[in-house]
Amino acid sequence: MKAGIYARISQDTFDTTLGVQRQIEDCTREAKRRGWEVVETYVDNDVSATRSKVRPAYVRMMSDIEQGHINAMIVWDIDRLTRTPRELEDIIDLADRMNLSMANIGGEIDLSTPQGKLTARIKGSVARHESEQMSRRLKRAFTQRALSGKPHSYAPYGFTRTEREGEVWDEVNEEQAEVIREAANRYVAGESIRAICTDLMRRGIPAPKTNNWSATSLRQILLRPVNIGLRKHNGEIIGKCNADPLMSESLFNQVNARMFDPERIKHAQGPKNKYLLSTIARCGKCGGKMAGQAKHEFNSKKIPSQYYCKECYKIRRKREPIDEIVTGAIVARLGDPKLVSALSKDVTGELPKLRERMDGLKARLDIAADNFAEGTITGEQMKRINTKIVPDLDELKRKIGHLEGTNPILSLSGANAAERWANAPLEIQRKVISELMSVVIMPAGAGGKFNPELIKIEWKV
Ligand SMILES: [Zn+2]
C-alpha cells in the first residue's frame, strides 16, 4: 500500500490542542501497524481560513489519488478530512472509483459498504453540528430539561440510558465508569491529565465518540457534576439529576481541588518529574525517553509503578527495582574517593585558566553585538558567531561550576554518601544522576524474573 497522511489544523474541532505534529505521529504509527508505506504527507492550515477557501494540500491529495500515486489514506479522524457533506461525497465517489483504502487512528473508514458510508456521513454532520452555535430553541429545551433534572438526549460517557419508574434514568456503565474512576484516582495521585490520556490510548481504551482521548475531554469528564449525581446549569449546581453516582463525593472533590488549586496553577509550567529516572532513563529499543507512571488499579487489578517508553511504548518495566539498582550504583560511586579527587583535583590549577577563557568568549560576544549594532556585520553573521560561541560558553560555565563546588555532586560525595543521598531532594538526586551516568533500560528477557543486567549504566565522569 502506498499511503498518504492527511492532517489539518483546525479551530472548529472539539480539541484545539490536537496539534498537527501529533496527528502526523499518530497516523505514521497507524501506517506502520498496518504495514502501509507512507509516501506523502499532506498538511492544511485551516485556522484562519474561511470555510469556502480551498485547501491546497487536500486538492493535491485528491489529484494524487486520481493519478494512482497513492492508494491508501490515513487521517486522524474523519472530521479532519472533510468539512462539508459535499466534500465527503467527493471522497466517497473517489474511493469507489479508485479502490482507495482508508484508515483513521485505531479504525477503518470503510467507504465501500453502505454502513461505512453512513457512519462517515453521521460523523461528518455531528462534527459540523458541534461547531455551530446552538440555536435558541435548543437552548431553551436544554434549560427546561436541566431544571427538571432530566438527562440530555444521550447518556453521558460512563452511563447507560434506561428507564426507572417511568422516568428516563442514567445508570452507571461499569466498564466506562472504571476508566473514569481510574483516571480520577491517578490524577489525584499526581499524574497529569495528558499522561493519563496517553496511557489510555496506548491501552486501546476507546474514548467517548472518538478513539482518541484528549486532555480537554478527559478534564471535562472528570469535572462533571453528574459523576456524583448532580446537575449543573449555566455554571451552577441546580440539584440532583436522574443518574446514579459514579464515584464517591470525596474523590470528586479531590479532583476539583487539584484542578483548581491556585498554587498548582501558578506553578503549572510544564510537568514536574516525580520519579528518579523519568526522562533520564532511555529506552533500549528506540533510544526514546522513559516516563514514570504511578501505581494504580485497573479492572481491580493492581498495577505497580512503572517506567515506560514515551516514544515507542515497547518497553515497560517495574519502577522500584530499577530505582534501587541506580541508587545503589550512584551511592557507591559517590562514596568512592577517586570520584571526589577526579572532580576537585583541578581547583587550583585549572580554574583561573577556565575563567580567563570564559571572559575571552564573553568579550567576543560583546564585540559581535556592538558590530551588529553599528551595522558592520549582518544579523546572519551575528547569529553564526552566537551559535559558535554560546555552546562553548555553556560548557565552560558547567566546568567552572564543578570546580567552584556549586555542583551538587561534590556536596553529596565522600564519606556518608548513602545518608547524604537519602536526604537530598529528588531534584538534586536527578541532577546528580544525569551528570554522572546514563541509564538505558533494555527489553525484559523471557520469564518474569527481574534481571539487573538489563539495566545498563554508563558513567560519564
Ligand atoms: Zn522506545
Side-chain angles (χ1 to χ4, degrees), residues 142-151 167 231 238 240-242:
F142 276 139
T143 306
Q144 272 171 2
R145 279 218 191 117
L147 291 173
S148 67
K150 287 215 180 75
E167 293 237 335
R231 180 156 294 280
I238 54 167
K240 283 198 173 297
C241 63
N242 291 2

Side-chain angles (χ1 to χ4, degrees), residues 6 30 48 66 126 155 166 184 264 285 287 346 352 378 398 414 418 427:
Y6 182 76
E30 183 70 24
S48 56
E66 195 90 68
V126 167
R264 208 182 63 79
K285 258 211 157 99
D346 291 326
T378 65
R398 199 181 67 84
E427 273 318 297

Side-chain angles (χ1 to χ4, degrees), residues 228 230 240 247-254:
I228 49 168
L230 295 178
K240 283 198 173 297
M247 63 172 74
S248 70
E249 261 179 57
S250 112
L251 180 58
F252 183 75
N253 290 337
Q254 286 175 64

Side-chain angles (χ1 to χ4, degrees), residues 163-221:
E163 228 180 78
R164 195 175 290 177
E165 288 158 12
E167 293 237 335
V168 178
W169 194 277
D170 287 334
E171 65 178 28
V172 173
N173 171 326
E174 270 310 321
E175 199 182 316
Q176 294 177 354
E178 182 56 38
V179 176
I180 299 176
R181 285 191 294 258
E182 180 202 330
N185 276 309
R186 285 168 62 176
Y187 179 68
V188 167
E191 267 187 79
S192 74
I193 292 282
R194 196 159 288 279
I196 298 168
C197 285
T198 310
D199 184 55
L200 292 176
M201 285 205 279
R202 185 192 56 77
R203 279 153 49 192
I205 295 168
K209 288 191 253 181
T210 64
N211 288 317
N212 294 282
W213 287 93
S214 72
T216 315
S217 61
L218 180 58
R219 195 173 292 120
Q220 186 244 326
I221 287 172

